[in-house]
Amino acid sequence: MSAVITLSHLRFGYTADRPDVLGDLSMAIPGGTITAILGPNGAGKTTLLHLILGLLTPLGGEVQIAGRALPTYGRRELSRQIALVPQAEHIPFDFSVLEYVLLGRSPYLGMLEMPGEADYRVAQTALETLGLSALAARPVTELSGGERQMAALARALAQEAHILLLDEPTSHLDLSNKGRLLQTLRLLAGRGVTIVFTTHDPEMAVLAAHYLVLMRRGQVIDSGPLEAVLTTDRLSATYGAAVRVERIADRPVVLLDPSSLDGS
């Protein structure tokens, strides 16, 4: 299976006098799969997504999308390739949910061009897919945190990109919406969309991902098929804590090692 996203010796730091947030990071993400980037807070996961999207410029190394160096893409062309669902987003205008989702159609519209019937159909389908049709006329500012997260996902679906990046996508979701999110990710992967999401929760990675990238302090600890990478030793190294990987109902489950809690 060929790589759709390739990172080669990537380095990044926010200021010249700070140590690298990411240091000499290389990996390949297969196309049409769901990849989880798993690691503790501060591992550099969100920074990595922003580098893939071109929102940040690396100090060294290269990002390739579909075999092309990232700087060779124009912004509109790249927006047709990649969509981002951020962990949180400030929305300065009082958009309705439908108007907000229609923003996902921007890469397909000309300067000052208004969305047409086809764009509305795409947006409404995205709302239906996520069970948000009843909220279409509701102002986004009146939504709960979980509803906003699902609306952001609907906007990304309306973008019809080939690659979907999600930053901690379940952080504000209840169990019902978490289940709907997982169903949607699997549906998209089945259609050939490449999905990459960050998480600090091993359970989310187990439930959703085909491939796993373990990160700690700006470095990749390991990457590969989930079953091969999700091991007791590798997760303990990733989190700097004693954890155990067990199998329950024929799937891996990550547990804190009780012996690490007794203070001995």
Side-chain angles (χ1 to χ4, degrees):
M1 189 175 296
S2 61
V4 168
I5 301 172
T6 303
L7 312 177
S8 302
H9 303 290
L10 206 61
R11 291 177 50 249
F12 178 78
Y14 285 100
T15 61
D17 59 346
R18 280 184 57 186
D20 287 353
V21 176
L22 300 178
D24 197 26
L25 187 151
S26 297
M27 74 170 98
I29 295 175
T33 62
I34 304 176
T35 295
I37 301 175
L38 177 65
N41 294 331
K45 303 185 300 294
T46 298
T47 298
L48 180 58
L49 289 192
H50 290 173
L51 286 163
I52 293 172
L53 194 61
L55 298 178
L56 296 173
T57 302
L59 297 177
E62 184 180 58
V63 178
Q64 287 193 357
I65 305 297
R68 285 174 52 188
L70 187 62
T72 69
Y73 285 90
R75 178 49 57 184
R76 181 182 295 269
E77 184 184 13
L78 188 63
S79 295
R80 294 182 181 183
Q81 285 281 345
I82 307 178
L84 172 69
V85 179
Q87 184 175 356
E89 183 176 38
H90 174 63
I91 303 170
F93 302 109
D94 201 19
F95 291 115
S96 71
V97 171
L98 178 58
E99 290 169 337
Y100 176 66
V101 172
L102 279 168
L103 293 176
R105 302 304 297 163
S106 298
Y108 304 94
L109 302 176
M111 185 72 69
L112 302 180
E113 182 181 359
M114 298 297 291
E117 289 185 12
D119 300 305
Y120 274 90
R121 283 196 297 271
V122 171
Q124 288 162 350
T125 297
L127 291 173
E128 291 167 7
T129 298
L130 295 172
L132 298 176
S133 296
L135 301 179
R138 177 97 56 92
V140 176
T141 52
E142 295 181 7
L143 299 181
S144 68
E147 288 169 337
R148 282 198 187 198
Q149 192 77 352
M150 295 300 284
L153 178 56
R155 183 195 62 187
L157 295 187
Q159 200 168 325
E160 295 186 309
H162 303 297
I163 300 168
L164 179 60
L165 309 179
L166 305 99
D167 192 13
E168 298 282 356
T170 60
S171 58
H172 301 294
L173 299 185
D174 58 26
L175 285 176
S176 175
N177 279 325
K178 185 183 290 188
R180 193 181 297 275
L181 170 70
L182 291 172
Q183 289 175 345
T184 302
L185 296 186
R186 290 170 182 165
L187 174 67
L188 292 171
R191 294 176 178 173
V193 177
T194 300
I195 297 165
V196 182
F197 69 90
T198 67
T199 183
H200 61 268
D201 181 4
E203 180 187 13
M204 177 62 182
V206 168
L207 288 172
H210 305 121
Y211 283 78
L212 185 61
V213 177
L214 299 179
M215 284 190 67
R216 179 174 175 81
R217 295 178 180 172
Q219 300 287 339
V220 171
I221 301 294
D222 201 357
S223 63
L226 184 134
E227 292 282 351
V229 174
L230 194 76
T231 68
T232 294
D233 289 344
R234 288 168 180 150
L235 278 190
S236 295
T238 298
Y239 285 95
V243 300
R244 292 206 320 252
V245 178
E246 305 284 356
R247 295 196 72 85
I248 299 176
D250 201 35
R251 75 176 181 89
V253 175
V254 179
L255 305 169
L256 274 174
D257 188 335
S259 66
S260 69
L261 305 177
D262 60 13
S264 58

